[in-house]
Amino acid sequence: MTREVSFREKVFSVVRKIPKGQTLTYAEVARLAGSPRAARGVGSILHTNYNPKIPCHRVIRSDGKLGGYNRGNILKLKKLKAEKAL
DNA sequence: AATGTGACAACTC
DNA sequence: CGAGTTGCCACAT
């Protein structure tokens, strides 16, 4: 079977569909994207291809930590506090 | 075109 | 329980 879209495209589609107040881990996104071992790839992809349409601040580590954020991990924490509280 | 680096996660010792 | 190693994907040089 051939992949119609690149892993990168799949990651964007998944992250973009994260409902408000919901947070996913890099591993979860990687698994939904078709590669459960490519959590690292998810981070790298989001790091270079940040789009305002993609709430990548809702993507956190499985360790319970935030991970990183292009616009400032502090903003990410603030957003998670606001959205997760809903 | 090839190698190295990076927003991670899971396993092993 | 903690530290170290391996696997995966895309991007930068």
PDB file of all heavy atoms in Angstrom, chain A residues 33-61:
ATOM      1  N   ALA A  33      -0.959   9.246  13.053  1.00  0.00           N
ATOM      2  CA  ALA A  33      -0.389   9.588  11.742  1.00  0.00           C
ATOM      3  C   ALA A  33       0.108   8.338  11.014  1.00  0.00           C
ATOM      4  O   ALA A  33       0.434   8.386   9.836  1.00  0.00           O
ATOM      5  CB  ALA A  33       0.740  10.590  11.923  1.00  0.00           C
ATOM      6  N   GLY A  34       0.139   7.220  11.722  1.00  0.00           N
ATOM      7  CA  GLY A  34       0.524   5.977  11.064  1.00  0.00           C
ATOM      8  C   GLY A  34       1.908   5.476  11.455  1.00  0.00           C
ATOM      9  O   GLY A  34       2.343   4.443  10.982  1.00  0.00           O
ATOM     10  N   SER A  35       2.620   6.205  12.302  1.00  0.00           N
ATOM     11  CA  SER A  35       3.945   5.757  12.739  1.00  0.00           C
ATOM     12  C   SER A  35       4.099   5.941  14.249  1.00  0.00           C
ATOM     13  O   SER A  35       4.564   6.971  14.690  1.00  0.00           O
ATOM     14  CB  SER A  35       5.021   6.551  12.002  1.00  0.00           C
ATOM     15  OG  SER A  35       4.956   6.255  10.633  1.00  0.00           O
ATOM     16  N   PRO A  36       3.666   4.952  15.020  1.00  0.00           N
ATOM     17  CA  PRO A  36       3.675   5.039  16.498  1.00  0.00           C
ATOM     18  C   PRO A  36       5.063   5.219  17.079  1.00  0.00           C
ATOM     19  O   PRO A  36       5.207   5.542  18.231  1.00  0.00           O
ATOM     20  CB  PRO A  36       3.052   3.705  16.927  1.00  0.00           C
ATOM     21  CG  PRO A  36       3.176   2.802  15.748  1.00  0.00           C
ATOM     22  CD  PRO A  36       3.190   3.672  14.542  1.00  0.00           C
ATOM     23  N   ARG A  37       6.121   5.020  16.297  1.00  0.00           N
ATOM     24  CA  ARG A  37       7.481   5.175  16.850  1.00  0.00           C
ATOM     25  C   ARG A  37       8.101   6.486  16.421  1.00  0.00           C
ATOM     26  O   ARG A  37       9.264   6.742  16.654  1.00  0.00           O
ATOM     27  CB  ARG A  37       8.330   4.037  16.347  1.00  0.00           C
ATOM     28  CG  ARG A  37       7.588   2.713  16.464  1.00  0.00           C
ATOM     29  CD  ARG A  37       8.266   1.797  17.403  1.00  0.00           C
ATOM     30  NE  ARG A  37       7.282   1.054  18.104  1.00  0.00           N
ATOM     31  CZ  ARG A  37       7.296  -0.269  18.081  1.00  0.00           C
ATOM     32  NH1 ARG A  37       8.155  -0.883  17.345  1.00  0.00           N
ATOM     33  NH2 ARG A  37       6.484  -0.896  18.818  1.00  0.00           N
ATOM     34  N   ALA A  38       7.343   7.311  15.692  1.00  0.00           N
ATOM     35  CA  ALA A  38       7.934   8.520  15.113  1.00  0.00           C
ATOM     36  C   ALA A  38       7.586   9.782  15.894  1.00  0.00           C
ATOM     37  O   ALA A  38       7.430  10.845  15.335  1.00  0.00           O
ATOM     38  CB  ALA A  38       7.478   8.637  13.668  1.00  0.00           C
ATOM     39  N   ALA A  39       7.529   9.647  17.206  1.00  0.00           N
ATOM     40  CA  ALA A  39       7.216  10.822  18.030  1.00  0.00           C
ATOM     41  C   ALA A  39       8.233  11.924  17.767  1.00  0.00           C
ATOM     42  O   ALA A  39       7.909  13.106  17.746  1.00  0.00           O
ATOM     43  CB  ALA A  39       7.233  10.423  19.499  1.00  0.00           C
ATOM     44  N   ARG A  40       9.470  11.515  17.547  1.00  0.00           N
ATOM     45  CA  ARG A  40      10.531  12.478  17.270  1.00  0.00           C
ATOM     46  C   ARG A  40      10.250  13.227  15.978  1.00  0.00           C
ATOM     47  O   ARG A  40      10.480  14.420  15.859  1.00  0.00           O
ATOM     48  CB  ARG A  40      11.860  11.736  17.161  1.00  0.00           C
ATOM     49  CG  ARG A  40      13.023  12.598  17.458  1.00  0.00           C
ATOM     50  CD  ARG A  40      14.267  11.719  17.562  1.00  0.00           C
ATOM     51  NE  ARG A  40      15.357  12.509  18.029  1.00  0.00           N
ATOM     52  CZ  ARG A  40      16.535  11.996  18.303  1.00  0.00           C
ATOM     53  NH1 ARG A  40      16.715  10.713  18.184  1.00  0.00           N
ATOM     54  NH2 ARG A  40      17.487  12.743  18.700  1.00  0.00           N
ATOM     55  N   GLY A  41       9.766  12.513  15.000  1.00  0.00           N
ATOM     56  CA  GLY A  41       9.426  13.125  13.720  1.00  0.00           C
ATOM     57  C   GLY A  41       8.336  14.166  13.905  1.00  0.00           C
ATOM     58  O   GLY A  41       8.382  15.231  13.294  1.00  0.00           O
ATOM     59  N   VAL A  42       7.356  13.871  14.740  1.00  0.00           N
ATOM     60  CA  VAL A  42       6.271  14.827  14.981  1.00  0.00           C
ATOM     61  C   VAL A  42       6.841  16.137  15.516  1.00  0.00           C
ATOM     62  O   VAL A  42       6.502  17.210  15.037  1.00  0.00           O
ATOM     63  CB  VAL A  42       5.259  14.246  15.983  1.00  0.00           C
ATOM     64  CG1 VAL A  42       4.192  15.275  16.333  1.00  0.00           C
ATOM     65  CG2 VAL A  42       4.609  12.999  15.408  1.00  0.00           C
ATOM     66  N   GLY A  43       7.720  16.032  16.487  1.00  0.00           N
ATOM     67  CA  GLY A  43       8.332  17.230  17.056  1.00  0.00           C
ATOM     68  C   GLY A  43       9.094  18.012  16.008  1.00  0.00           C
ATOM     69  O   GLY A  43       8.962  19.224  15.895  1.00  0.00           O
ATOM     70  N   SER A  44       9.891  17.315  15.224  1.00  0.00           N
ATOM     71  CA  SER A  44      10.692  17.977  14.199  1.00  0.00           C
ATOM     72  C   SER A  44       9.807  18.666  13.164  1.00  0.00           C
ATOM     73  O   SER A  44      10.065  19.782  12.736  1.00  0.00           O
ATOM     74  CB  SER A  44      11.571  16.936  13.519  1.00  0.00           C
ATOM     75  OG  SER A  44      12.481  17.570  12.649  1.00  0.00           O
ATOM     76  N   ILE A  45       8.740  17.993  12.793  1.00  0.00           N
ATOM     77  CA  ILE A  45       7.817  18.533  11.790  1.00  0.00           C
ATOM     78  C   ILE A  45       7.132  19.791  12.311  1.00  0.00           C
ATOM     79  O   ILE A  45       7.116  20.828  11.650  1.00  0.00           O
ATOM     80  CB  ILE A  45       6.763  17.476  11.424  1.00  0.00           C
ATOM     81  CG1 ILE A  45       7.426  16.330  10.659  1.00  0.00           C
ATOM     82  CG2 ILE A  45       5.653  18.085  10.597  1.00  0.00           C
ATOM     83  CD1 ILE A  45       6.577  15.079  10.655  1.00  0.00           C
ATOM     84  N   LEU A  46       6.576  19.704  13.493  1.00  0.00           N
ATOM     85  CA  LEU A  46       5.887  20.855  14.068  1.00  0.00           C
ATOM     86  C   LEU A  46       6.879  22.000  14.296  1.00  0.00           C
ATOM     87  O   LEU A  46       6.528  23.165  14.168  1.00  0.00           O
ATOM     88  CB  LEU A  46       5.228  20.451  15.393  1.00  0.00           C
ATOM     89  CG  LEU A  46       4.112  19.414  15.235  1.00  0.00           C
ATOM     90  CD1 LEU A  46       3.577  19.042  16.604  1.00  0.00           C
ATOM     91  CD2 LEU A  46       3.005  19.959  14.358  1.00  0.00           C
ATOM     92  N   HIS A  47       8.096  21.660  14.620  1.00  0.00           N
ATOM     93  CA  HIS A  47       9.113  22.672  14.902  1.00  0.00           C
ATOM     94  C   HIS A  47       9.404  23.517  13.659  1.00  0.00           C
ATOM     95  O   HIS A  47       9.527  24.721  13.729  1.00  0.00           O
ATOM     96  CB  HIS A  47      10.382  21.979  15.370  1.00  0.00           C
ATOM     97  CG  HIS A  47      11.480  22.936  15.629  1.00  0.00           C
ATOM     98  ND1 HIS A  47      11.315  24.061  16.421  1.00  0.00           N
ATOM     99  CD2 HIS A  47      12.759  22.954  15.211  1.00  0.00           C
ATOM    100  CE1 HIS A  47      12.472  24.717  16.464  1.00  0.00           C
ATOM    101  NE2 HIS A  47      13.358  24.071  15.738  1.00  0.00           N
ATOM    102  N   THR A  48       9.501  22.874  12.522  1.00  0.00           N
ATOM    103  CA  THR A  48       9.858  23.591  11.287  1.00  0.00           C
ATOM    104  C   THR A  48       8.648  24.121  10.545  1.00  0.00           C
ATOM    105  O   THR A  48       8.733  25.129   9.873  1.00  0.00           O
ATOM    106  CB  THR A  48      10.637  22.675  10.356  1.00  0.00           C
ATOM    107  OG1 THR A  48      10.218  21.348  10.537  1.00  0.00           O
ATOM    108  CG2 THR A  48      12.102  22.777  10.618  1.00  0.00           C
ATOM    109  N   ASN A  49       7.546  23.423  10.649  1.00  0.00           N
ATOM    110  CA  ASN A  49       6.366  23.815   9.866  1.00  0.00           C
ATOM    111  C   ASN A  49       5.219  24.337  10.731  1.00  0.00           C
ATOM    112  O   ASN A  49       4.103  23.870  10.623  1.00  0.00           O
ATOM    113  CB  ASN A  49       5.872  22.615   9.070  1.00  0.00           C
ATOM    114  CG  ASN A  49       6.685  22.447   7.806  1.00  0.00           C
ATOM    115  OD1 ASN A  49       6.651  23.277   6.929  1.00  0.00           O
ATOM    116  ND2 ASN A  49       7.407  21.370   7.724  1.00  0.00           N
ATOM    117  N   TYR A  50       5.516  25.247  11.589  1.00  0.00           N
ATOM    118  CA  TYR A  50       4.442  25.787  12.414  1.00  0.00           C
ATOM    119  C   TYR A  50       3.468  26.619  11.573  1.00  0.00           C
ATOM    120  O   TYR A  50       3.840  27.506  10.842  1.00  0.00           O
ATOM    121  CB  TYR A  50       5.038  26.658  13.530  1.00  0.00           C
ATOM    122  CG  TYR A  50       3.962  27.298  14.326  1.00  0.00           C
ATOM    123  CD1 TYR A  50       3.132  26.533  15.137  1.00  0.00           C
ATOM    124  CD2 TYR A  50       3.740  28.668  14.227  1.00  0.00           C
ATOM    125  CE1 TYR A  50       2.124  27.117  15.854  1.00  0.00           C
ATOM    126  CE2 TYR A  50       2.730  29.264  14.950  1.00  0.00           C
ATOM    127  CZ  TYR A  50       1.916  28.492  15.758  1.00  0.00           C
ATOM    128  OH  TYR A  50       0.906  29.063  16.469  1.00  0.00           O
ATOM    129  N   ASN A  51       2.187  26.273  11.673  1.00  0.00           N
ATOM    130  CA  ASN A  51       1.126  27.045  11.007  1.00  0.00           C
ATOM    131  C   ASN A  51       0.149  27.559  12.062  1.00  0.00           C
ATOM    132  O   ASN A  51      -0.172  26.839  12.991  1.00  0.00           O
ATOM    133  CB  ASN A  51       0.357  26.141  10.042  1.00  0.00           C
ATOM    134  CG  ASN A  51       1.208  25.786   8.845  1.00  0.00           C
ATOM    135  OD1 ASN A  51       1.662  26.643   8.126  1.00  0.00           O
ATOM    136  ND2 ASN A  51       1.441  24.506   8.657  1.00  0.00           N
ATOM    137  N   PRO A  52      -0.375  28.787  11.910  1.00  0.00           N
ATOM    138  CA  PRO A  52      -1.326  29.350  12.875  1.00  0.00           C
ATOM    139  C   PRO A  52      -2.606  28.549  12.935  1.00  0.00           C
ATOM    140  O   PRO A  52      -3.358  28.632  13.901  1.00  0.00           O
ATOM    141  CB  PRO A  52      -1.557  30.777  12.361  1.00  0.00           C
ATOM    142  CG  PRO A  52      -1.157  30.752  10.921  1.00  0.00           C
ATOM    143  CD  PRO A  52      -0.114  29.698  10.798  1.00  0.00           C
ATOM    144  N   LYS A  53      -2.871  27.721  11.916  1.00  0.00           N
ATOM    145  CA  LYS A  53      -4.081  26.903  11.894  1.00  0.00           C
ATOM    146  C   LYS A  53      -3.913  25.635  12.723  1.00  0.00           C
ATOM    147  O   LYS A  53      -4.864  24.910  12.968  1.00  0.00           O
ATOM    148  CB  LYS A  53      -4.423  26.519  10.455  1.00  0.00           C
ATOM    149  CG  LYS A  53      -4.585  27.722   9.558  1.00  0.00           C
ATOM    150  CD  LYS A  53      -5.769  28.571  10.009  1.00  0.00           C
ATOM    151  CE  LYS A  53      -5.960  29.703   9.020  1.00  0.00           C
ATOM    152  NZ  LYS A  53      -6.835  30.735   9.555  1.00  0.00           N
ATOM    153  N   ILE A  54      -2.677  25.347  13.090  1.00  0.00           N
ATOM    154  CA  ILE A  54      -2.404  24.114  13.820  1.00  0.00           C
ATOM    155  C   ILE A  54      -2.098  24.386  15.292  1.00  0.00           C
ATOM    156  O   ILE A  54      -1.066  24.965  15.599  1.00  0.00           O
ATOM    157  CB  ILE A  54      -1.227  23.380  13.156  1.00  0.00           C
ATOM    158  CG1 ILE A  54      -1.628  23.071  11.705  1.00  0.00           C
ATOM    159  CG2 ILE A  54      -0.917  22.100  13.896  1.00  0.00           C
ATOM    160  CD1 ILE A  54      -0.496  22.482  10.925  1.00  0.00           C
ATOM    161  N   PRO A  55      -3.010  23.989  16.186  1.00  0.00           N
ATOM    162  CA  PRO A  55      -2.822  24.214  17.628  1.00  0.00           C
ATOM    163  C   PRO A  55      -1.755  23.293  18.203  1.00  0.00           C
ATOM    164  O   PRO A  55      -2.037  22.475  19.072  1.00  0.00           O
ATOM    165  CB  PRO A  55      -4.210  23.923  18.209  1.00  0.00           C
ATOM    166  CG  PRO A  55      -4.797  22.898  17.285  1.00  0.00           C
ATOM    167  CD  PRO A  55      -4.229  23.216  15.912  1.00  0.00           C
ATOM    168  N   CYS A  56      -0.539  23.438  17.734  1.00  0.00           N
ATOM    169  CA  CYS A  56       0.523  22.538  18.183  1.00  0.00           C
ATOM    170  C   CYS A  56       0.807  22.731  19.668  1.00  0.00           C
ATOM    171  O   CYS A  56       1.475  21.906  20.281  1.00  0.00           O
ATOM    172  CB  CYS A  56       1.788  22.747  17.360  1.00  0.00           C
ATOM    173  SG  CYS A  56       2.245  24.452  17.192  1.00  0.00           S
ATOM    174  N   HIS A  57       0.267  23.772  20.272  1.00  0.00           N
ATOM    175  CA  HIS A  57       0.451  23.969  21.723  1.00  0.00           C
ATOM    176  C   HIS A  57      -0.369  22.943  22.494  1.00  0.00           C
ATOM    177  O   HIS A  57      -0.206  22.786  23.689  1.00  0.00           O
ATOM    178  CB  HIS A  57       0.059  25.392  22.095  1.00  0.00           C
ATOM    179  CG  HIS A  57      -1.336  25.751  21.750  1.00  0.00           C
ATOM    180  ND1 HIS A  57      -1.660  26.389  20.562  1.00  0.00           N
ATOM    181  CD2 HIS A  57      -2.495  25.533  22.406  1.00  0.00           C
ATOM    182  CE1 HIS A  57      -2.984  26.548  20.564  1.00  0.00           C
ATOM    183  NE2 HIS A  57      -3.510  26.042  21.645  1.00  0.00           N
ATOM    184  N   ARG A  58      -1.272  22.229  21.792  1.00  0.00           N
ATOM    185  CA  ARG A  58      -2.061  21.176  22.451  1.00  0.00           C
ATOM    186  C   ARG A  58      -1.346  19.847  22.388  1.00  0.00           C
ATOM    187  O   ARG A  58      -1.858  18.832  22.830  1.00  0.00           O
ATOM    188  CB  ARG A  58      -3.426  21.071  21.783  1.00  0.00           C
ATOM    189  CG  ARG A  58      -4.305  22.269  22.117  1.00  0.00           C
ATOM    190  CD  ARG A  58      -5.682  22.158  21.447  1.00  0.00           C
ATOM    191  NE  ARG A  58      -6.375  23.427  21.622  1.00  0.00           N
ATOM    192  CZ  ARG A  58      -7.265  23.892  20.751  1.00  0.00           C
ATOM    193  NH1 ARG A  58      -7.580  23.215  19.680  1.00  0.00           N
ATOM    194  NH2 ARG A  58      -7.843  25.020  20.975  1.00  0.00           N
ATOM    195  N   VAL A  59      -0.189  19.846  21.796  1.00  0.00           N
ATOM    196  CA  VAL A  59       0.608  18.618  21.713  1.00  0.00           C
ATOM    197  C   VAL A  59       1.711  18.668  22.772  1.00  0.00           C
ATOM    198  O   VAL A  59       2.572  19.539  22.742  1.00  0.00           O
ATOM    199  CB  VAL A  59       1.222  18.489  20.314  1.00  0.00           C
ATOM    200  CG1 VAL A  59       1.970  17.173  20.199  1.00  0.00           C
ATOM    201  CG2 VAL A  59       0.135  18.562  19.251  1.00  0.00           C
ATOM    202  N   ILE A  60       1.650  17.730  23.705  1.00  0.00           N
ATOM    203  CA  ILE A  60       2.606  17.713  24.803  1.00  0.00           C
ATOM    204  C   ILE A  60       3.309  16.363  24.909  1.00  0.00           C
ATOM    205  O   ILE A  60       2.964  15.426  24.192  1.00  0.00           O
ATOM    206  CB  ILE A  60       1.888  18.006  26.132  1.00  0.00           C
ATOM    207  CG1 ILE A  60       0.829  16.930  26.393  1.00  0.00           C
ATOM    208  CG2 ILE A  60       1.267  19.386  26.101  1.00  0.00           C
ATOM    209  CD1 ILE A  60       0.154  17.062  27.732  1.00  0.00           C
ATOM    210  N   ARG A  61       4.281  16.265  25.801  1.00  0.00           N
ATOM    211  CA  ARG A  61       5.006  15.018  25.990  1.00  0.00           C
ATOM    212  C   ARG A  61       4.216  14.027  26.827  1.00  0.00           C
ATOM    213  O   ARG A  61       3.362  14.408  27.603  1.00  0.00           O
ATOM    214  CB  ARG A  61       6.317  15.313  26.697  1.00  0.00           C
ATOM    215  CG  ARG A  61       7.261  16.073  25.823  1.00  0.00           C
ATOM    216  CD  ARG A  61       8.566  16.292  26.553  1.00  0.00           C
ATOM    217  NE  ARG A  61       9.060  15.049  27.081  1.00  0.00           N
ATOM    218  CZ  ARG A  61      10.346  14.740  27.162  1.00  0.00           C
ATOM    219  NH1 ARG A  61      11.229  15.629  26.755  1.00  0.00           N
ATOM    220  NH2 ARG A  61      10.717  13.623  27.643  1.00  0.00           N
TER     221      ARG A  61
END
